[in-house]
Amino acid sequence: MTRTISRRPAGAQRCPNRVGRAAGSGDRPIANALVCAILGLALSAAPAPRAGAQRADAPEKPSIPSWYAQTIARGEGEFTVTNSWSLRSKLRSEVTTLGRKIVTIVDGDTYYAYDAIAMTGIAIRRAPEALAMDSPNRRPFGNEAQKLIEAGAEKIRDESVGGKHAEVYQLTDDSGRRVAWVTRDERRLPIRIEFFDRQSGTTRYREYVDWVAGIPLSDAFFQPEPGIQFERFELEAYIEKMLDEKSAPPVPILYGELLRGPTPP
């Protein structure tokens, strides 16, 4: 379902060795290596919707609280495709980077991240702040645009993107500039996100190739495959281990907000 062309470790951002802070960790930041997702030009075909599913621009509200999206991240010669599914607050995400198929599953109080080829991974108990965000009416992924708007991003224009009518919002601060293209409807789905990092002078892009709502998904789809060997942690113990070893996680944590709780946009 995923493919990648990469000349450096891929991931959602330029890989910081440590980002964010955790409750109870004082002034020490979390050792959290996000798989730096950046992108090229080719697009993978999204799976055809099954019975009951509908394109995100369909007028009717889907009867099943589920979503699918394919995301392309690009910048500085790298290309990563991620496929994500959700059912209520459950998440399953798959991305291939440097020959490793990284799967993230968030289900209840556990955050799973594992290498589906090596059959090893980590299972971490989620923070109460992360659990408090769970809602059957809130997608666990694809909320970047809404966070920017809530943080004060201003609408700068209307624009057509891939035949879709979009509103464009921009937020500029000391860290750089973020621009979001969102659909002009009540769902306000992100179509494209642009990140300009003032310090490095680089720009990264994230594009949502396709949104499909109401896909029939079972709860079993949001469970790891049999045979995966997990090392299990409480969140604070995992943070301490990463800080003590001063190393990146064995499997990247790609959805820190779903593990630790809300983070700035």
Side-chain angles (χ1 to χ4, degrees):
M1 296 294 296
T2 57
R3 60 178 180 173
T4 185
I5 301 170
S6 177
R7 289 193 286 273
R8 73 174 60 147
Q13 301 179 16
R14 176 178 294 276
C15 293
N17 289 328
R18 297 179 179 180
V19 297
R21 297 181 186 276
S25 64
D27 291 332
R28 292 188 297 172
I30 296 175
N32 175 23
L34 299 178
V35 179
C36 289
I38 331 188
L39 348 190
L41 301 176
L43 305 182
S44 291
R50 292 171 55 192
Q54 61 179 230
R55 296 292 176 183
D57 54 2
E60 299 84 3
K61 184 177 181 180
S63 59
I64 303 172
S66 64
W67 290 90
Y68 164 81
Q70 185 176 77
T71 311
I72 295 178
R74 59 186 174 86
E76 294 197 354
E78 297 175 23
F79 176 87
T80 302
V81 178
T82 302
N83 291 288
S84 302
W85 299 262
S86 69
L87 176 64
R88 300 183 294 276
S89 59
K90 301 174 186 287
L91 170 74
R92 183 184 182 101
S93 173
E94 299 180 358
V95 59
T96 302
T97 177
L98 297 179
R100 302 171 68 197
K101 180 182 177 181
I102 304 301
V103 180
T104 300
I105 292 178
V106 179
D107 182 21
D109 65 358
T110 306
Y111 183 107
Y112 300 95
Y114 59 94
D115 184 327
I117 296 177
M119 300 288 282
T120 58
I122 52 179
I124 308 171
R125 189 183 300 276
R126 299 169 65 204
E129 295 85 352
L131 289 169
M133 297 168 54
D134 288 355
S135 167
N137 299 317
R138 180 184 184 275
R139 269 192 329 275
F141 74 99
N143 297 305
E144 307 96 323
Q146 188 60 35
K147 286 183 63 178
L148 285 181
I149 293 171
E150 292 173 355
E154 297 182 351
K155 180 179 176 180
I156 56 175
R157 65 181 180 272
D158 291 317
E159 191 170 295
S160 178
V161 180
K164 299 177 181 178
H165 297 295
E167 296 178 340
V168 186
Y169 290 83
Q170 179 172 297
L171 179 66
T172 304
D173 55 24
D174 292 341
S175 65
R177 180 183 66 251
R178 284 149 289 176
V179 184
W181 286 255
V182 300
T183 58
R184 295 175 58 186
D185 56 30
E186 63 179 13
R187 296 176 180 176
R188 304 181 79 79
L189 298 172
I191 301 172
R192 178 187 300 163
I193 309 291
E194 177 183 302
F195 306 85
F196 169 72
D197 186 303
R198 194 181 305 279
Q199 182 175 2
S200 66
T202 60
T203 302
R204 303 184 304 276
Y205 305 89
R206 183 177 302 148
E207 298 184 34
Y208 287 86
V209 179
D210 204 1
W211 281 100
V212 183
I215 301 176
L217 298 171
S218 69
D219 289 336
F221 183 64
F222 299 91
Q223 289 293 315
E225 295 87 334
I228 305 293
Q229 299 297 310
F230 285 105
E231 189 173 2
R232 295 182 178 273
F233 297 92
E234 296 294 324
L235 177 57
E236 291 302 322
Y238 178 73
I239 293 169
E240 291 296 328
K241 177 181 173 66
M242 291 298 99
L243 290 174
D244 290 344
E245 296 181 358
K246 297 181 180 179
S247 61
V251 182
I253 302 297
L254 300 178
Y255 299 87
E257 184 174 84
L258 299 182
L259 176 61
R260 303 187 303 265
T263 58

